[in-house]
């Protein structure tokens, strides 16, 4: 460390006092800077968390849901802990439950938006209650009255069991609107996605695109588009299964993609 040449000629006691004072001032500036850095880091963390949360229910939003599904496919990421049942199966599978709050528009129109908001909050509380038992799952509100539960390492059969538990829990919830108690019911769609199949499809497409001499940025962009299409197709299948059963049997039902597909095959086989 370089010193002012004049310091060399100061008496030792005065020089020590001067250096101690400078060190104290420097430490003070460091504390101020550290406090500012800590404050900015905290604000940044809070901003990131807010950007991934639904403001009404406090659940994750569609942005976080899509990012989580993307990470599972790209990096074969799993939640940190899998229960015993999930540890014994191929963890390259992810289950999905789509949850639709029944009669939401009717409740909004009849009892007002405050009652509708309470219905959404009640559904989110039920989802959160179930999720606390299973820290591996990701629960998100993805639309007005639609929620999703992403279940790493779960087959459709296991996801269906979780859906039945959720269906039972929500039946205990009611929302008060004036003198009325509004019962809450939900319709659920259940499916699962083989992550290995998605990764294989993306890898095959990447090889094809590289053979066409496209620049790396364009290849990356096209693969991202394909990924979004695969996600949308997966969600669409679960959604369609739920609405098909809803149309046939009414609300308050659980629909499995495999069962709906098998039912669709029967008329074709008969023909």
């Amino acid at each position: 460390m370089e010193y002012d040449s004049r310091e060399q000629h100061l008496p030792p006691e005065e020089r020590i006092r001067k250096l101690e004072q400078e060190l104290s001032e420097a430490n003070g500036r460091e504390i101020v800077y550290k406090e500012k850095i800590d404050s900015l880091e905290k604000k940044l963390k809070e901003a990131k968390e807010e950007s991934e949360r639904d403001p009404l229910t406090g659940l994750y939003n569609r942005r976080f849901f899509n990012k989580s599904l993307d990470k599972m496919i790209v990096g074969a990421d799993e939640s940190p802990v899998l229960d015993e049942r999930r540890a014994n199966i191929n963890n390259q599978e992810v289950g999905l439950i789509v949850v639709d709050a029944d009669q939401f528009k009717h409740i909004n129109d009849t009892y007002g938006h405050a009652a509708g908001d309470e219905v959404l909050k009640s559904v989110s509380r039920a989802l959160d209650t179930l999720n606390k038992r299973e820290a591996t799952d990701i629960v998100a509100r993805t639309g007005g009255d639609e929620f999703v539960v992403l279940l790493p390492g779960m087959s459709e059969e296991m996801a269906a069991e979780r859906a039945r538990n959720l269906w039972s829990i929500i039946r205990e919830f009611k929302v008060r609107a004036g003198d009325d108690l509004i019962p809450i019911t939900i319709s659920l769609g259940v499916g699962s996605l083989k992550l290995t199949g998605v990764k294989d499809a993306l890898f095959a497409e990447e090889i094809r695109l590289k053979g066409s001499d496209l620049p790396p940025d364009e290849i990356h962009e096209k693969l991202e588009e394909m990924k979004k299409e695969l996600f949308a197709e997966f969600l669409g299948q679960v959604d369609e299964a739920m609405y098909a059963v809803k149309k046939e049997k009414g609300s308050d039902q659980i629909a499995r993609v495999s069962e709906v597909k098998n039912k669709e095959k029967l008329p074709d086989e008969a023909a």
Side-chain angles (χ1 to χ4, degrees):
M1 184 175 180
E2 294 182 2
Y3 297 101
D4 189 320
S5 60
R6 288 172 296 179
E7 289 183 3
Q8 304 294 332
H9 303 291
L10 290 173
E13 293 81 1
E14 188 175 344
R15 185 181 174 198
I16 289 170
R17 183 191 60 76
K18 191 172 186 306
L19 290 172
E20 286 177 341
Q21 183 180 352
E22 289 178 1
L23 179 60
S24 176
E25 290 171 356
N27 284 334
R29 287 193 296 272
E30 184 180 349
I31 290 169
V32 170
Y33 290 143
K34 187 177 186 309
E35 286 175 351
K36 188 172 183 179
I37 290 169
D38 289 346
S39 175
L40 288 171
E41 286 178 344
K42 183 182 177 183
K43 287 179 181 178
L44 178 61
K45 183 181 178 183
E46 288 171 352
K48 285 181 177 179
E49 287 177 354
E50 285 176 10
S51 74
E52 296 174 340
R53 293 283 180 177
D54 171 58
L56 177 66
T57 63
L59 298 177
Y60 288 118
N61 56 22
R62 179 178 283 277
R63 179 174 177 269
F64 184 82
F65 168 77
N66 288 340
K67 188 168 72 171
S68 299
L69 188 53
D70 180 75
K71 283 173 68 178
M72 287 180 193
I73 290 172
V74 174
D77 285 357
E78 290 289 349
S79 294
V81 180
L82 291 177
D83 61 31
E84 287 182 5
R85 295 172 304 161
R86 285 189 257 186
N88 292 329
I89 66 170
N90 181 358
N91 290 334
Q92 291 298 313
E93 188 169 13
V94 58
L96 179 75
I97 303 172
V98 172
V99 182
D100 194 59
D102 294 330
Q103 305 299 323
F104 181 68
K105 186 178 185 305
H106 170 74
I107 292 170
N108 256 341
D109 293 344
T110 306
Y111 300 100
H113 290 288
D117 286 350
E118 285 305 313
V119 168
L120 297 177
K121 289 177 184 178
S122 294
V123 173
S124 71
R125 280 196 296 273
L127 286 163
D128 202 39
T129 298
L130 193 61
N131 186 48
K132 281 175 181 173
R133 303 177 196 170
E134 301 286 349
T136 55
D137 304 338
I138 294 165
V139 182
R141 181 186 175 203
T142 53
D145 60 347
E146 189 168 279
F147 303 81
V148 293
V149 186
L150 198 59
L151 306 155
M154 271 204 176
S155 63
E156 184 183 298
E157 179 65 40
M158 294 165 71
E161 180 186 337
R162 180 65 57 77
R164 286 189 289 272
N165 291 340
L166 176 59
W167 183 81
S168 299
I169 290 171
I170 202 67
R171 296 176 76 83
E172 304 297 321
F173 285 72
K174 288 181 175 60
V175 168
R176 181 171 290 282
D179 295 330
D180 297 323
L181 271 179
I182 309 167
I184 302 173
T185 63
I186 53 175
S187 297
L188 304 99
V190 183
S192 66
L193 179 68
K194 301 284 188 184
L195 298 181
T196 47
V198 175
K199 290 175 74 174
D200 288 346
L202 287 168
F203 179 72
E205 181 64 7
E206 184 178 6
I207 296 298
R208 188 189 72 78
L209 290 170
K210 284 180 176 177
S212 61
D213 295 327
L214 289 172
D217 287 350
E218 195 169 335
I219 290 175
H220 176 75
E221 187 178 323
K222 287 185 178 296
L223 289 173
E224 287 300 310
E225 287 174 6
M226 181 179 180
K227 216 184 303 175
K228 287 177 184 176
E229 289 171 5
L230 291 169
F231 291 172
E233 183 182 350
F234 173 45
L235 287 169
Q237 287 179 351
V238 183
D239 254 337
E240 286 168 16
M242 179 182 68
Y243 285 113
V245 171
K246 217 172 180 180
K247 186 177 179 181
E248 180 187 353
K249 299 181 180 179
S251 302
D252 199 21
Q253 303 290 331
I254 299 174
R256 290 178 57 176
V257 170
S258 60
E259 291 178 353
V260 171
K261 281 185 176 178
N262 289 336
K263 205 167 186 180
E264 288 172 351
K265 285 179 183 177
L266 291 177
D268 296 334
E269 291 173 357

